[in-house]
CSV table of all heavy atoms in Angstrom, one decimal:
chain,number,residue,atom,x,y,z
A,1,ALA,N,9.7,7.5,5.9
A,1,ALA,CA,8.9,8.6,5.2
A,1,ALA,C,7.8,9.1,6.1
A,1,ALA,O,7.6,10.3,6.2
A,1,ALA,CB,8.3,8.0,3.9
A,2,GLY,N,7.1,8.2,6.8
A,2,GLY,CA,6.0,8.6,7.7
A,2,GLY,C,6.5,9.4,8.8
A,2,GLY,O,5.9,10.5,9.2
A,3,LEU,N,7.7,9.0,9.4
A,3,LEU,CA,8.3,9.8,10.5
A,3,LEU,C,8.7,11.2,10.0
A,3,LEU,O,8.5,12.2,10.7
A,3,LEU,CB,9.5,9.1,11.0
A,3,LEU,CG,10.3,9.7,12.1
A,3,LEU,CD1,9.4,9.8,13.4
A,3,LEU,CD2,11.6,9.0,12.4
A,4,SER,N,9.3,11.3,8.8
A,4,SER,CA,9.7,12.5,8.2
A,4,SER,C,8.5,13.5,8.0
A,4,SER,O,8.6,14.7,8.3
A,4,SER,CB,10.5,12.3,6.9
A,4,SER,OG,10.8,13.5,6.3
A,5,GLN,N,7.5,12.9,7.4
A,5,GLN,CA,6.3,13.8,7.2
A,5,GLN,C,5.7,14.3,8.5
A,5,GLN,O,5.3,15.5,8.6
A,5,GLN,CB,5.2,13.0,6.4
A,5,GLN,CG,5.6,12.7,4.9
A,5,GLN,CD,4.8,11.7,4.3
A,5,GLN,OE1,4.0,11.0,4.9
A,5,GLN,NE2,5.0,11.5,3.0
A,6,PHE,N,5.7,13.4,9.5
A,6,PHE,CA,5.2,13.8,10.8
A,6,PHE,C,6.1,14.9,11.4
A,6,PHE,O,5.6,15.9,11.9
A,6,PHE,CB,5.2,12.6,11.7
A,6,PHE,CG,4.6,12.9,13.1
A,6,PHE,CD1,3.3,12.8,13.4
A,6,PHE,CD2,5.5,13.2,14.1
A,6,PHE,CE1,2.8,13.1,14.7
A,6,PHE,CE2,5.1,13.5,15.4
A,6,PHE,CZ,3.7,13.4,15.7
A,7,ALA,N,7.4,14.8,11.3
A,7,ALA,CA,8.3,15.8,11.8
A,7,ALA,C,8.2,17.1,11.1
A,7,ALA,O,8.2,18.2,11.7
A,7,ALA,CB,9.8,15.3,11.7
A,8,GLY,N,8.0,17.0,9.7
A,8,GLY,CA,7.8,18.2,8.9
A,8,GLY,C,6.5,19.0,9.3
A,8,GLY,O,6.5,20.2,9.5
A,9,LYS,N,5.5,18.2,9.6
A,9,LYS,CA,4.2,18.8,10.0
A,9,LYS,C,4.3,19.5,11.3
A,9,LYS,O,3.8,20.6,11.5
A,9,LYS,CB,3.1,17.7,10.1
A,9,LYS,CG,1.7,18.2,10.5
A,9,LYS,CD,0.7,17.0,10.6
A,9,LYS,CE,-0.6,17.5,11.1
A,9,LYS,NZ,-1.6,16.3,11.2
A,10,TRP,N,5.0,18.9,12.3
A,10,TRP,CA,5.1,19.5,13.6
A,10,TRP,C,6.4,20.3,13.8
A,10,TRP,O,6.7,20.8,14.9
A,10,TRP,CB,5.0,18.4,14.7
A,10,TRP,CG,3.7,17.8,14.7
A,10,TRP,CD1,3.3,16.6,14.1
A,10,TRP,CD2,2.5,18.4,15.2
A,10,TRP,NE1,2.0,16.4,14.3
A,10,TRP,CE2,1.4,17.4,14.9
A,10,TRP,CE3,2.1,19.6,15.8
A,10,TRP,CZ2,0.1,17.7,15.3
A,10,TRP,CZ3,0.8,19.8,16.2
A,10,TRP,CH2,-0.2,18.9,15.9
A,11,LYS,N,7.2,20.5,12.7
A,11,LYS,CA,8.4,21.4,12.7
A,11,LYS,C,9.4,21.0,13.8
A,11,LYS,O,9.8,21.8,14.6
A,11,LYS,CB,8.0,22.8,12.8
A,11,LYS,CG,7.2,23.4,11.7
A,11,LYS,CD,7.1,24.9,11.7
A,11,LYS,CE,6.1,25.4,10.6
A,11,LYS,NZ,6.4,24.8,9.3
A,12,CYS,N,9.7,19.7,13.8
A,12,CYS,CA,10.7,19.2,14.8
A,12,CYS,C,11.6,18.2,14.1
A,12,CYS,O,11.4,17.9,12.9
A,12,CYS,CB,10.0,18.5,16.0
A,12,CYS,SG,9.0,17.0,15.5
A,13,SER,N,12.7,17.8,14.7
A,13,SER,CA,13.6,16.9,14.1
A,13,SER,C,13.0,15.5,14.1
A,13,SER,O,12.0,15.2,14.8
A,13,SER,CB,14.9,16.9,14.9
A,13,SER,OG,14.7,16.2,16.1
A,14,MET,N,13.5,14.6,13.3
A,14,MET,CA,13.0,13.3,13.2
A,14,MET,C,13.2,12.5,14.5
A,14,MET,O,12.4,11.7,14.9
A,14,MET,CB,13.7,12.6,12.0
A,14,MET,CG,13.3,13.1,10.6
A,14,MET,SD,14.2,12.5,9.2
A,14,MET,CE,13.5,10.9,9.0
A,15,TYR,N,14.3,12.8,15.1
A,15,TYR,CA,14.6,12.1,16.4
A,15,TYR,C,13.6,12.5,17.5
A,15,TYR,O,13.1,11.7,18.2
A,15,TYR,CB,16.0,12.3,16.9
A,15,TYR,CG,16.4,11.5,18.0
A,15,TYR,CD1,16.9,10.2,17.8
A,15,TYR,CD2,16.3,11.9,19.4
A,15,TYR,CE1,17.3,9.4,18.9
A,15,TYR,CE2,16.6,11.1,20.4
A,15,TYR,CZ,17.1,9.8,20.2
A,15,TYR,OH,17.5,9.0,21.3
A,16,GLU,N,13.3,13.8,17.5
A,16,GLU,CA,12.3,14.3,18.5
A,16,GLU,C,10.9,13.8,18.2
A,16,GLU,O,10.2,13.4,19.1
A,16,GLU,CB,12.3,15.8,18.4
A,16,GLU,CG,11.5,16.5,19.5
A,16,GLU,CD,11.4,18.0,19.4
A,16,GLU,OE1,12.3,18.6,18.6
A,16,GLU,OE2,10.6,18.6,20.0
A,17,ALA,N,10.6,13.7,16.9
A,17,ALA,CA,9.3,13.2,16.5
A,17,ALA,C,9.1,11.7,16.9
A,17,ALA,O,8.0,11.2,17.1
A,17,ALA,CB,9.1,13.3,15.0
A,18,LEU,N,10.2,11.0,16.9
A,18,LEU,CA,10.2,9.5,17.2
A,18,LEU,C,9.5,9.2,18.5
A,18,LEU,O,8.9,8.2,18.7
A,18,LEU,CB,11.7,9.1,17.2
A,18,LEU,CG,12.1,7.6,17.4
A,18,LEU,CD1,13.5,7.5,16.7
A,18,LEU,CD2,12.2,7.3,18.8
A,19,PHE,N,9.6,10.2,19.5
A,19,PHE,CA,9.1,9.9,20.8
A,19,PHE,C,7.8,10.7,21.1
A,19,PHE,O,7.2,10.7,22.2
A,19,PHE,CB,10.1,10.3,21.9
A,19,PHE,CG,11.3,9.4,21.9
A,19,PHE,CD1,12.5,9.9,21.5
A,19,PHE,CD2,11.2,8.1,22.4
A,19,PHE,CE1,13.7,9.1,21.5
A,19,PHE,CE2,12.3,7.3,22.4
A,19,PHE,CZ,13.6,7.8,22.0
A,20,ALA,N,7.2,11.3,20.0
A,20,ALA,CA,6.0,12.1,20.2
A,20,ALA,C,4.8,11.2,20.5
A,20,ALA,O,4.6,10.1,19.9
A,20,ALA,CB,5.7,12.9,18.9
A,21,GLU,N,4.0,11.6,21.4
A,21,GLU,CA,2.8,10.8,21.8
A,21,GLU,C,1.8,10.6,20.7
A,21,GLU,O,1.2,9.5,20.6
A,21,GLU,CB,2.1,11.5,23.0
A,21,GLU,CG,2.9,11.4,24.3
A,21,GLU,CD,2.1,12.0,25.5
A,21,GLU,OE1,0.9,12.2,25.3
A,21,GLU,OE2,2.7,12.2,26.5
A,22,SER,N,1.7,11.6,19.8
A,22,SER,CA,0.8,11.5,18.7
A,22,SER,C,1.3,10.8,17.4
A,22,SER,O,0.7,10.9,16.4
A,22,SER,CB,0.2,12.9,18.4
A,22,SER,OG,1.3,13.8,18.0
A,23,LEU,N,2.5,10.2,17.5
A,23,LEU,CA,3.1,9.6,16.3
A,23,LEU,C,2.2,8.4,15.8
A,23,LEU,O,2.2,8.1,14.6
A,23,LEU,CB,4.5,9.0,16.7
A,23,LEU,CG,5.3,8.5,15.5
A,23,LEU,CD1,5.5,9.5,14.4
A,23,LEU,CD2,6.7,7.9,16.0
A,24,GLY,N,1.4,7.9,16.7
A,24,GLY,CA,0.4,6.8,16.3
A,24,GLY,C,-0.5,7.2,15.2
A,24,GLY,O,-1.1,6.4,14.6
A,25,THR,N,-0.7,8.5,15.0
A,25,THR,CA,-1.6,9.0,14.0
A,25,THR,C,-1.0,8.8,12.6
A,25,THR,O,-1.7,8.9,11.6
A,25,THR,CB,-2.0,10.5,14.2
A,25,THR,OG1,-0.8,11.3,14.2
A,25,THR,CG2,-2.7,10.7,15.5
A,26,ALA,N,0.3,8.7,12.6
A,26,ALA,CA,1.1,8.6,11.3
A,26,ALA,C,1.6,7.2,11.0
A,26,ALA,O,1.8,6.8,9.8
A,26,ALA,CB,2.2,9.6,11.3
A,27,LEU,N,1.9,6.4,12.1
A,27,LEU,CA,2.6,5.1,11.9
A,27,LEU,C,1.9,4.0,12.7
A,27,LEU,O,1.2,4.3,13.7
A,27,LEU,CB,4.0,5.2,12.3
A,27,LEU,CG,5.0,6.2,11.6
A,27,LEU,CD1,6.3,6.2,12.2
A,27,LEU,CD2,5.1,5.8,10.1
A,28,SER,N,2.1,2.8,12.3
A,28,SER,CA,1.5,1.6,13.0
A,28,SER,C,2.3,1.4,14.2
A,28,SER,O,3.4,1.8,14.4
A,28,SER,CB,1.6,0.4,12.1
A,28,SER,OG,2.9,0.0,11.9
A,29,ALA,N,1.7,0.6,15.1
A,29,ALA,CA,2.3,0.2,16.4
A,29,ALA,C,3.6,-0.5,16.1
A,29,ALA,O,4.6,-0.3,16.9
A,29,ALA,CB,1.4,-0.7,17.2
A,30,LYS,N,3.7,-1.4,15.1
A,30,LYS,CA,4.9,-2.1,14.8
A,30,LYS,C,6.0,-1.2,14.4
A,30,LYS,O,7.2,-1.3,14.8
A,30,LYS,CB,4.6,-3.2,13.7
A,30,LYS,CG,5.8,-4.1,13.4
A,30,LYS,CD,5.5,-5.1,12.3
A,30,LYS,CE,6.7,-5.9,12.0
A,30,LYS,NZ,6.4,-6.8,10.8
């Protein structure tokens, strides 16, 4: 869900969002 919301915000696919440098703003390190 966090990945999907992040992808929606940045208008990219979920797979592309997975490697985004700023993903830490949406999800924990684990």
Side-chain angles (χ1 to χ4, degrees):
L3 179 68
S4 176
Q5 287 166 353
F6 181 87
K9 179 181 177 182
W10 295 103
K11 300 192 184 311
C12 62
S13 71
M14 292 171 76
Y15 190 86
E16 186 182 347
L18 186 154
F19 293 109
E21 289 183 13
S22 55
L23 186 58
T25 60
L27 296 175
S28 70
K30 185 181 177 184

